[in-house]
């Protein structure tokens, strides 16, 4: 089994594949000030198994395109959407986020939680803009430094993992430079990392290792996740996901 299949096996059962929470998704919806007088057309990019997609479908009168490049996650999303009675509002699309087949001005809202880093914040913010209607809303979460300075060990870890990590003012500057008006920003609280993401993942480690015969590959994946969790636990005052809400101008 390759690493991708192992990662899918570890993460498919989870409610979400990155830090986040229902309350925070709803807060972002409020900050976006969506026009609820008519059905909305929404793209949820890097949707995973659909934590945000399904909540948006439940809360809004919307037609949602859920995009991910892992079919296994999209299959799981469809099962969950059916269980929750919102399957008719959601279309899944297996596609890479850097090659989206959308038309210019097709969407009222582009939503993306914990996923834009896969093509880079600036590339995503700039290339997805054309898919929004004038006045359309962009809601993205992105790993963000919470202060101007931080321990060197942490800086060097993230610099090698994701060099685009930066403070919120820099991210908001990118949003502005690429033709949006910022409408809101908030930081995901600690429970979005621990209770909603890391603790459920930790509870799956033993069964995951068992299923894969404690192979070196499976152990390496668990070790990497444990390392990430330990880093967060030590340095959580210095970074989180920022949620950025902006309007296309
Ligand atoms: N939004 C979900 C959530 O918050 O639970 C998933 C977040 S997870 C950290 C990132 C997601 O992006 C994964 O589902 C992954 O399969 C997807 N992804 C990564 N690279 C991608 C790409 N190039 N195109 C489309 N999806 C991608």
């Amino acid at each position: 089994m390759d690493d991708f299949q192992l990662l899918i096996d570890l993460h498919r059962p989870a409610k979400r594949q990155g830090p986040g929470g229902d309350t925070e998704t709803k807060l972002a919806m409020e900050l976006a000030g969506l026009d609820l007088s008519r059905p909305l057309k929404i793209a949820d990019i890097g949707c995973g198994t659909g934590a945000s997609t399904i909540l948006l479908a439940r809360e809004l009168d919307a037609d949602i395109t859920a995009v991910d490049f892992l079919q296994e996650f999209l299959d799981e999303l469809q099962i969950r959407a059916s269980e929750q009675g919102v399957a008719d509002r959601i279309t899944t699309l297996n596609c890479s986020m850097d090659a989206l087949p959308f038309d210019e001005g097709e969407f009222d809202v582009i939503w993306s939680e914990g996923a834009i880093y896969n093509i880079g914040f600036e590339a995503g913010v700039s290339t997805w803009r054309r898919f929004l209607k004038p006045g359309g809303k962009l809601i993205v979460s992105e790993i963000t430094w919470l202060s101007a300075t931080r321990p060197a060990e942490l800086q060097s870890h993230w610099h090698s993992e994701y060099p685009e990590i930066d403070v919120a003012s820099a991210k908001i500057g990118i949003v502005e430079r690429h033709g949006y008006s910022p409408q809101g920003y908030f930081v995901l609280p600690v429970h979005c990392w621990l209770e909603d993401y890391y603790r459920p993942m930790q509870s799956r480690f033993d069964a995951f290792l068992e299923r894969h015969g404690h192979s070196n590959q499976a152990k390496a994946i668990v070790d990497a996740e444990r390392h990430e969790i330990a880093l967060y636990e030590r340095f959580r005052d210095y970074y989180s996901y920022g949620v950025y809400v902006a309007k296309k101008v």
Side-chain angles (χ1 to χ4, degrees), residues 15-19 44-49 51-52 67-70 73 95-98 112-115 117-119 241:
K15 175 171 179 190
R16 54 177 60 258
Q17 285 69 42
D44 187 357
I45 302 175
C47 58
T49 58
S52 55
V67 182
D68 207 281
F69 74 166
L70 294 180
F73 286 173
C95 181
S96 181
M97 62 176 76
D98 58 3
S112 184
E113 292 193 18
Y117 72 90
N118 287 293
I119 55 168
Y241 269 88

Side-chain angles (χ1 to χ4, degrees), residues 120-173:
F121 186 79
E122 185 152 20
V125 163
S126 59
T127 60
W128 298 347
R129 181 179 179 276
R130 67 176 175 277
F131 304 130
L132 280 172
K133 294 175 184 164
K137 304 291 167 57
L138 174 78
I139 296 94
V140 287
S141 69
E142 161 83 341
I143 195 138
T144 299
W145 293 129
L146 301 181
S147 55
T149 58
R150 65 217 56 106
E153 181 188 346
L154 183 66
Q155 172 79 37
S156 89
H157 170 85
W158 278 111
H159 191 72
S160 65
E161 288 292 315
Y162 184 55
E164 269 194 64
I165 187 170
D166 213 333
V167 290
S169 54
K171 298 287 172 187
I172 290 170

